[in-house]
């Protein structure tokens, strides 16, 4: 990977997105990132866009800007997501709309516009960050899990559509991590969830980085439509 490699990562304000942005910068890539709020950090080679991934016009504008400045896009990581832990019977429709809009519609829009730019060079890697929430079936996560389940289905089908363009599409499900969502889970309940994994620990940012690197590699040209669950979920 070199300075000619262009990477787009959504949700780079903190967490997985910020970590992956810094990781690809260390590898020498030019990194484009976005979030609705200012990131609070900066680095050489990094360009930030104030974009809501569910805003179609804003997404188109961001990718058009990337095309104008770089003329290419090699890797896209759809990481931006929101969650709200609540039982379904207590969840208002507005919350469902917000979660599905950012988690699923945002992934669709970013993937669609990324693929349009990637096909110019007949090469691309689209990597979606999903979740183990639907496998673990945690009460209160029905809407969030459903949004990520939709992303996984979309990943598998988009992979078929963009394969003739030289683009792969895969997903990484990090397993259990310390996130804003899991912080709301009581300690004993979280420990019980960890015990349901083959690997009896929480995932680290480095674990996710390793999986993303595998899908992003030029050597992974024959790997597409896959969902990699970390931790043995």
């Amino acid at each position: 990977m070199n300075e000619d490699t262009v990477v787009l990562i959504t949700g780079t304000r903190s967490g997985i997105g910020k970590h992956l942005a810094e990781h690809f910068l260390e590898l020498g890539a030019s990194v484009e990132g976005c979030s609705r709020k200012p990131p609070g950090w900066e680095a050489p080679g990094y360009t930030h866009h104030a974009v809501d991934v569910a805003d179609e016009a804003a997404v188109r504008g961001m990718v058009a800007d990337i095309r104008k400045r770089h003329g290419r896009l090699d890797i896209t990581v759809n990481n931006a997501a929101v969650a709200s832990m609540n039982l379904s019977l207590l969840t208002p429709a507005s919350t469902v709309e917000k979660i599905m809009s950012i988690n699923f519609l945002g992934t669709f829009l970013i993937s669609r516009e990324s693929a349009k730019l990637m096909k110019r060079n007949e090469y691309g890697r689209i990597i979606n960050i999903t979740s183990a929430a639907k496998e673990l079936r945690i009460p209160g996560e029905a809407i969030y899990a459903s949004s990520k389940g939709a992303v996984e289905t979309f990943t598998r089908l988009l992979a078929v559509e963009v394969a003739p363009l030289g683009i792969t599409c895969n997903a990484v499900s990090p397993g259990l991590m310390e996130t804003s969502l899991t912080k709301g889970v009581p300690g004993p309940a979280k420990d019980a969830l960890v015990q349901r994994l083959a690997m009896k620990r929480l995932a680290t940012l480095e674990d996710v980085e390793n999986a993303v690197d595998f899908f992003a590699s030029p050597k992974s040209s024959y790997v597409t439509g896959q969902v990699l669950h970390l931790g043995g979920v």
Side-chain angles (χ1 to χ4, degrees), residues 189-206:
K190 190 182 298 183
D191 292 340
L193 289 172
V194 170
Q195 292 307 308
R196 293 170 60 185
L197 306 177
M199 307 299 291
K200 311 301 182 185
R201 66 171 176 84
L202 295 174
T204 66
L205 291 170
E206 288 72 23

Side-chain angles (χ1 to χ4, degrees), residues 83-135:
S84 178
M85 179 172 280
N86 202 5
L87 295 175
S88 298
L89 273 62
L90 301 175
T91 303
S94 59
T95 297
V96 178
E97 291 172 351
K98 178 181 179 181
I99 292 174
M100 293 302 294
S101 178
I102 294 175
N103 296 6
F104 176 68
L105 177 59
T107 295
F108 164 73
L109 291 174
I110 293 289
S111 298
R112 185 189 70 187
E113 296 306 308
S114 293
K116 288 179 182 178
L117 181 50
M118 290 173 174
K119 72 176 184 178
R120 296 178 60 173
N121 293 314
E122 298 183 338
Y123 178 90
R125 300 283 185 267
I126 297 174
I127 304 164
N128 300 323
I129 304 299
T130 62
S131 171
K134 73 181 197 323
E135 279 75 23

Side-chain angles (χ1 to χ4, degrees), residues 1 20 23 45 52 58 82 109 118 121 145 151-152 171 190 205 216 227:
M1 192 171 295
L20 291 177
H23 170 64
D52 180 343
V82 295
L109 291 174
M118 290 173 174
N121 293 314
V151 169
E152 291 187 4
K190 190 182 298 183
L205 291 170
V227 179

Side-chain angles (χ1 to χ4, degrees), residues 4-9 30-32 62-64 66-67 70-77 110-126 166-167:
D4 292 329
T5 302
V6 181
V7 183
L8 170 60
I9 305 171
S30 295
V31 179
E32 307 281 325
M62 175 176 65
V63 176
I66 294 172
R67 181 177 63 247
H70 297 288
R72 64 184 299 125
L73 178 59
D74 302 287
I75 302 166
T76 289
V77 181
I110 293 289
S111 298
R112 185 189 70 187
E113 296 306 308
S114 293
K116 288 179 182 178
L117 181 50
M118 290 173 174
K119 72 176 184 178
R120 296 178 60 173
N121 293 314
E122 298 183 338
Y123 178 90
R125 300 283 185 267
I126 297 174
I167 302 169

